[in-house]
Amino acid sequence: MRLHRLDITAFGPFGTTQTVDFDTLSRAGLFLLHGPTGAGKTSVLDAVCYALYGAVPGARQSPGTSLRSDHAPVGTYTEVVLDLTVAGRRLEITRRPAQQRPKKRGGGFTTEKAQSWLREYDPSNGSWKGLSRSHQEIGEEVTQLLGMSRDQFCQVVLLPQGEFARFLRADAEARGKLLGRLFDTRRFAAVEERLAELRRAAEQQVKDGDERLLALAHRTAQAAGDAAAGWPAPDGRPGDPGLAGDVLAWA
């Protein structure tokens, strides 16, 4: 996934529209998000998460909290627009949370429902094509392209407020499943399982052969009778290392 541009309007501490040009920032390959406490560093990460999943990380999405900036002018919509490339596709996601706006007729305010838009850039004609305005469809599309749920994205990609420490403290099984999805290790798991099957099959073949070998050794001992009194037959079990050599030397 590569972020190109983020427009934040009336969101968190940002009362007006602020634009983050990630293409410019990323030209050197690395950039630092820096500023004093309360400058809005975490809110930039929240805006990215909100654009992708329609929700912000953890407790900041708890009931009673508002995404709208207290500094926003009346009539300015709270909105996040994210331009990104993911899985080889250039997409633009626009999100507006449910919010109060002035009534078009008369005084007072009315609540406008949350809205989402998803568009895809077509390089053949240089235009954007609308794909969906459904929260559910956009959420499913983003989750499928990224291969992660919101919680997984917040734990692995966004690392604010000690969230990564919680990921590190997770048990091995939970981390294994998450990293397996993140790095798509299914093909390696398939190879591992195939090798395990071959190992089990070879092990069974060796045990079957050892059982036949021990049966022959038992018949040999019976045929030798007293002549083998000073040469006890090997007492190994099928699958023991070196059993075939021991039986051959005894015979």
Side-chain angles (χ1 to χ4, degrees):
M1 179 179 72
R2 180 180 178 86
L3 306 182
H4 299 292
R5 190 193 78 256
L6 176 68
D7 295 326
I8 311 172
T9 303
F11 182 92
F14 306 110
T16 57
T17 299
Q18 302 295 322
T19 298
V20 181
D21 187 343
F22 288 105
D23 284 338
T24 299
L25 291 173
S26 302
R27 285 175 184 169
L30 183 70
F31 63 89
L32 173 68
L33 188 61
H34 172 69
T37 300
K41 302 183 297 296
T42 300
S43 294
V44 173
L45 303 180
D46 286 349
V48 172
C49 184
Y50 181 70
L52 293 173
Y53 294 99
V56 296
R60 295 189 291 280
Q61 188 65 28
S62 60
T65 60
S66 174
L67 299 178
R68 182 170 176 79
S69 173
D70 294 333
H71 311 289
V74 175
T76 299
Y77 282 108
T78 296
E79 181 179 87
V80 172
V81 182
L82 179 63
D83 178 3
L84 75 160
T85 295
V86 58
R89 298 170 61 187
R90 182 77 176 262
L91 302 175
E92 182 190 74
I93 307 172
T94 302
R95 302 271 194 184
R96 288 182 182 177
Q99 54 194 293
Q100 296 284 317
R101 64 165 176 81
K103 292 182 178 179
K104 295 180 179 179
R105 296 181 180 179
F109 292 83
T110 185
T111 300
E112 186 163 305
K113 294 181 179 179
Q115 300 182 64
S116 300
W117 294 268
L118 176 63
R119 301 197 301 170
E120 183 171 6
Y121 181 72
D122 186 352
S124 63
N125 55 27
S127 64
W128 290 90
K129 177 179 66 175
L131 296 181
S132 177
R133 294 192 60 174
S134 166
H135 299 300
Q136 182 176 353
E137 288 180 358
I138 296 173
E140 291 174 353
E141 184 76 10
V142 169
T143 300
Q144 181 176 359
L145 290 173
L146 292 180
M148 289 180 285
S149 67
R150 186 200 68 172
D151 290 341
Q152 292 169 337
F153 180 83
C154 293
Q155 287 182 13
V156 177
V157 181
L158 297 183
L159 310 177
Q161 309 298 332
E163 288 294 319
F164 189 55
R166 185 162 63 91
F167 165 73
L168 293 177
R169 290 193 296 268
D171 59 61
E173 182 179 0
R175 283 183 297 179
K177 289 181 179 180
L178 175 57
L179 294 175
R181 291 188 59 188
L182 178 63
F183 297 107
D184 192 14
T185 59
R186 288 173 296 179
R187 60 188 182 279
F188 302 111
V191 170
E192 183 181 20
E193 178 58 30
R194 177 57 179 159
L195 292 175
E197 290 176 359
L198 294 175
R199 178 189 60 78
R200 289 191 293 267
E203 184 180 36
Q204 188 60 47
Q205 289 177 349
V206 170
K207 287 183 177 180
D208 291 344
D210 285 352
E211 288 176 355
R212 293 194 298 270
L213 190 63
L214 289 172
L216 288 173
H218 181 67
R219 291 173 58 187
T220 301
Q222 287 181 328
D226 295 338
W231 298 86
D235 59 355
R237 295 177 299 177
D240 285 351
L243 178 63
D246 293 342
V247 172
L248 180 62
W250 170 81

